[in-house]
Amino acid sequence: MYGSKLLVAAFALCLVGCASSTVVKQPLQPSKETTPVATKYSIGKISAQTSDAPEHFLAAVKGHLKLELSKHGLLATEDAIAPYETVITVNSYRMRSGFSRAMFGVLAGKDGIDSTVTVTDSKTNRVVGESQVSSYNMMAVGGEDDVARMHAQEIAKFLSGSSKN
């Protein structure tokens, strides 16, 4: 009897182990010539306000974001001038060590990243959209790359207009 309850509880924890949230501060408001679906984005600077976020993690987020935008046909080519530039500022970053993850699992706390995504019009430098994106992993499985991929997917949802406020 207790075994089945424990199994159900463990299954429920697996389902809620990874999560993301997106809070759109300013929905994308493109210029009259383009629409959010028809536009192309360049990925500008990805920086961290905190020194905790290592460069290789920021590079992983950028790489996954390029892949996600390419899948949706939203990535500007390197030689073209994109109508919009995306700038990502990491506000907080926490990643458990492999030892903590293995020894304490869920009790070690969650891995996560919180960032601000700002989209500017390349011609006018006017901000056309801004969002707060948080991604985290509470389970002991996975690692930095999983959180980076999940974070890039949430940013791509915002840029494609499919994220809900």
Side-chain angles (χ1 to χ4, degrees):
M1 177 148 153
Y2 289 110
S4 63
K5 288 182 181 179
L6 184 61
L7 184 61
V8 169
F11 182 70
L13 280 175
C14 287
L15 292 178
V16 298
C18 297
S20 291
S21 66
T22 302
V23 178
V24 179
K25 292 180 177 180
Q26 178 184 345
L28 287 172
Q29 300 170 346
S31 64
K32 293 174 183 161
E33 298 87 38
T34 60
T35 63
V37 176
T39 195
K40 302 283 184 182
Y41 297 96
S42 66
I43 303 169
K45 187 175 180 182
I46 298 181
S47 62
Q49 287 185 336
T50 174
S51 61
D52 297 341
E55 286 298 319
H56 70 272
F57 180 80
L58 300 177
V61 171
K62 188 171 188 172
H64 286 296
L65 183 56
K66 281 184 175 181
L67 182 64
E68 287 296 317
L69 292 178
S70 291
K71 279 188 213 176
H72 299 294
L74 297 173
L75 183 65
T77 58
E78 295 290 328
D79 57 344
I81 297 174
Y84 300 106
E85 181 179 42
T86 305
V87 176
I88 302 165
T89 305
V90 175
N91 303 318
S92 66
Y93 169 87
R94 180 176 189 267
M95 200 62 56
R96 297 172 288 181
S97 69
F99 177 77
S100 295
R101 194 177 292 120
M103 290 299 294
F104 304 110
V106 176
L107 299 176
K110 64 183 180 181
D111 297 332
I113 180 174
D114 178 72
S115 65
T116 302
V117 180
T118 306
V119 180
T120 57
D121 185 312
S122 297
K123 292 179 186 172
T124 64
N125 269 351
R126 176 179 69 91
V127 174
V128 296
E130 187 174 68
S131 180
Q132 192 78 26
V133 179
S134 296
S135 303
Y136 54 91
N137 178 358
M138 293 181 64
M139 300 305 291
V141 295
E144 279 185 334
D145 196 56
D146 294 321
V147 174
R149 179 185 38 76
M150 186 170 47
H151 200 64
Q153 288 170 342
E154 285 301 310
I155 294 170
K157 284 181 189 177
F158 167 65
L159 296 174
S160 68
S162 65
S163 66
K164 294 181 172 75
N165 195 0

